[in-house]
Amino acid sequence: MTILTQHRDSRSNPDSLTRDALTVLQPGFTGTTAPDWLLRRLGEGLSSVGLFGRNIASPEQLAALTARLRAERDDVLVAIDEEGGDVTRLEVRTGSSFPGNLALGTVDDPALTRAVAHELGRRLAACGVNLNWAPSGDVNSDPDNPVIGVRSFGADPALVARHTAAYVEGLQAAGVAACTKHFPGHGDTAVDSHHDLPRIDADLATLHARELVPFRAAVTAGTKAVMSAHILLPALDAALPATLSPLALHGLLRAPVTAGGLGFDGLIVTDGMEMRAIAGTYGIERGSVMAIAAGADAICVGGGLADEETVLRLRDALVAAVRGGELPEERLADAAERVRALAGWTSSAARPDPSASDPDVGLVAARRALRITRSGVGYEAAPAGPVYVAAFTPVANIAVGDETPWGVGAELARLRPGTLTETYGPESAGAEAVLAAAGERRIVAVVRDVHRHPWMARALGTLLAARPDTVVVEMGLNEAPPSGALHIATHGAARVCGIAAAEAIAGD
C-alpha cells in the first residue's frame, strides 16, 4: 500500500471524501484548552475528539473546554476513557470516586453497577462528555493478564455479561454513549497490546462460550459502540488482529445472530492505533486504512500521537486509499455516517436531573466490595494510634498510568494522625527496611497483584514472619491466599477503595 507522505491543505472547501476521512478520526490533543488546529479541523468535518488525563484540570475547566468545542461544532462527539476504578481521567490526580469493575463484580448486584454507571455518566454529561470508551466487557480468564485484571468484572462469563449490560444501561440512561471493549475479548492474553501483539489460542467454541458472552449481552442492552482489540485469534483469523480483520468485525460482530454473529449495528471504534500491536507491525496509516476496510467506523488515536500532523497523515492515507482503489468509497462513507448517527443520538439523548445525583454510591459500592479475613493471630483490635504503611508498588500498565495516586496511606493519616507511608518497589522491597522504619508501629502492607510479582511475595513473606500482626491490604486481584493478622481485599485501587479499607483498619 502506498501512503502519502505529503498532506494537502484542504481548509478552503474540503470535498465529501476528505470530510468523511476526517469524520472517522477520534484524535487527541495536548493541553487543557482546544488548540486552533483542532477547532479548524472541526469546521472541516472532524466529528470526534478524544480526551485524556492531560486535558483535564477540574470539572469546571473540562466543561469550558467541551463548550468551546461545541461552539465550533454543536454535535461533536467528545470521548473519554473513564472506566472508574484504576482507570480514571476525570480524577486522574486524586483517584476515582468510583470502584472499578472487579469490585462491582465481587458485590454482584447489577442494580448497584447500574447506579454507579449512571452517576458516573451524569458527571461526564455535566462536563460535556458524551462518549465513554467503557465498560470493559473482558472476561479475566487469565489471572496473570498484565493489562485487564481489576478492569474486568471477573472470570465468570455470565457474571461479566450481566454487569456489562447493567453498566451500559446505567451509562446510557445518563445520555452518555457506552463503548464496550475490547472485542472480541482481551482477558486471556499474556501480553499487553500497548507493547506487542497478543495471541489467544482458544478455539471457536471457547470464544463463543467465554469471550463473546458479555459482548452479546452488551449488544442486547443497546450499547451504542464497541471497541475492537488489537489481538490475534488464529481460530477466527490466522493472519490479522481483530481490529484489522473483516472476519472479526464484519463476519462476527456485524453478522446477524441467525448467522452466528452478534448482530451489532452501532459504531465500531478501534483501540488506540499508536499502540505497538498495530503501530509496530503495520504502521498507523496502513493500519487505519485496513481497520476501516475491515469494518471499523472510527479510528482512535491521540493517547501518544496528539498533534495536527497525525490527523492530516491519517486523513490523507484514507483519501489516498479510496482514490487508489484499496478502500471502497462506500465503506468510508458508511463509517462516517455511523459516526454522525451516534453524534445525533447524543445530541438528542435525555440528560438526567441533577437533583437525582447519588454522590455516595461509589463509596457504598467500595465498602460492599471489601472482603476481610482475620487470622486471629496478633490482631485483637484496631490500632489505636498511628501506623506505618508500606506500599509495595509494581510498575503500572499504560492504561492505568503511574500518575494516579493509590493506596491507604493518605486516608489512614486522616483517621490516625501521625501515620507514615513509604513506597517500596522491586529494587527497594527488603523487609528489613520496612521493619526498621516502622519501629513499634503496627505495619500495614499494601500490595497490588501480589500473585504476579515474586519480589513482592518474597518481601511480604519475610515481613509477616517477623511481624505476624501486620495488616495486609490487597488492592489488585485477590488470587493469593489471605495473609497477615488482618487481610483486606479491596478488588481495585480506586481512591474510594482505599477509603473503605482504611475505615476497616481503623475500626470506623
Side-chain angles (χ1 to χ4, degrees), residues 307-323:
D307 53 33
E308 182 179 22
E309 183 63 27
T310 298
V311 172
L312 298 176
R313 285 166 54 201
L314 296 182
R315 179 201 68 182
D316 289 352
L318 292 167
V319 170
V322 170
R323 290 178 174 163

Side-chain angles (χ1 to χ4, degrees), residues 218-229:
V219 172
T220 300
T223 186
K224 295 297 178 181
V226 169
M227 177 177 283
S228 66

Side-chain angles (χ1 to χ4, degrees), residues 21-46:
L22 280 172
T23 297
V24 302
L25 302 180
Q26 292 189 347
F29 63 95
T30 58
T32 55
T33 58
D36 290 342
W37 70 262
L38 183 66
L39 300 174
R40 185 169 63 250
R41 301 303 169 186
L42 286 171
E44 295 174 1
L46 186 67

Side-chain angles (χ1 to χ4, degrees), residues 65-308:
L65 169 59
T66 59
R68 180 66 188 92
L69 296 173
R70 290 199 167 83
E72 193 65 41
R73 184 185 181 105
D74 60 4
D75 66 343
V76 63
L77 285 171
V78 181
I80 198 169
D81 191 7
E82 181 58 49
E83 299 177 16
D86 290 29
V87 180
T88 179
R89 311 307 177 209
L90 282 182
E91 300 178 280
V92 66
R93 293 169 184 82
T94 61
S96 181
S97 301
F98 303 94
N101 285 0
L102 184 61
L104 295 172
T106 299
V107 177
D108 197 13
D109 179 353
L112 178 64
T113 295
R114 192 175 295 109
V116 167
H118 187 267
E119 178 62 19
L120 178 58
R122 187 194 67 78
R123 296 189 193 184
L124 289 172
C127 294
V129 176
N130 55 13
L131 171 60
N132 191 8
W133 293 319
S136 168
D138 305 292
V139 178
N140 198 53
S141 50
D142 183 355
D144 288 331
N145 189 312
V147 68
I148 300 300
V150 297
R151 300 167 66 196
S152 167
F153 289 109
D156 175 59
L159 179 147
V160 176
R162 60 180 171 265
H163 287 279
T164 299
Y167 196 106
V168 167
E169 292 164 354
L171 190 65
Q172 293 187 169
V176 176
C179 182
T180 306
K181 59 188 183 185
H182 306 80
F183 179 84
H186 211 313
D188 193 26
T189 60
V191 174
D192 184 343
S193 52
H194 290 90
H195 302 298
D196 207 342
L197 178 62
R199 175 187 174 111
I200 297 179
D201 287 313
D203 57 29
L204 284 178
T206 300
L207 183 68
H208 280 274
R210 188 178 66 187
E211 272 76 16
L212 295 181
V213 174
F215 290 96
R216 292 186 188 279
V219 172
T220 300
T223 186
K224 295 297 178 181
V226 169
M227 177 177 283
S228 66
H230 307 328
I231 55 176
L232 184 68
L233 296 100
L236 181 62
D237 189 326
L240 296 171
T243 293
L244 310 183
S245 170
L247 294 171
L249 301 187
H250 180 73
L252 181 58
L253 183 53
R254 289 273 190 236
V257 174
T258 54
L262 275 65
F264 179 63
D265 195 40
L267 189 77
I268 300 178
V269 183
T270 71
D271 207 344
M273 295 301 286
E274 64 267 58
M275 294 164 63
R276 295 300 300 167
I278 298 297
T281 307
Y282 301 92
I284 64 167
E285 295 100 327
R286 182 174 178 235
S288 295
V289 170
M290 293 175 69
I292 297 294
D297 306 305
I299 301 296
C300 176
V301 66
L305 299 172
D307 53 33
E308 182 179 22

Side-chain angles (χ1 to χ4, degrees), residues 426 429 449-461:
D449 291 341
V450 70
H451 71 284
R452 291 186 56 234
H453 303 288
W455 65 268
M456 193 183 298
R458 286 193 298 270
L460 183 61

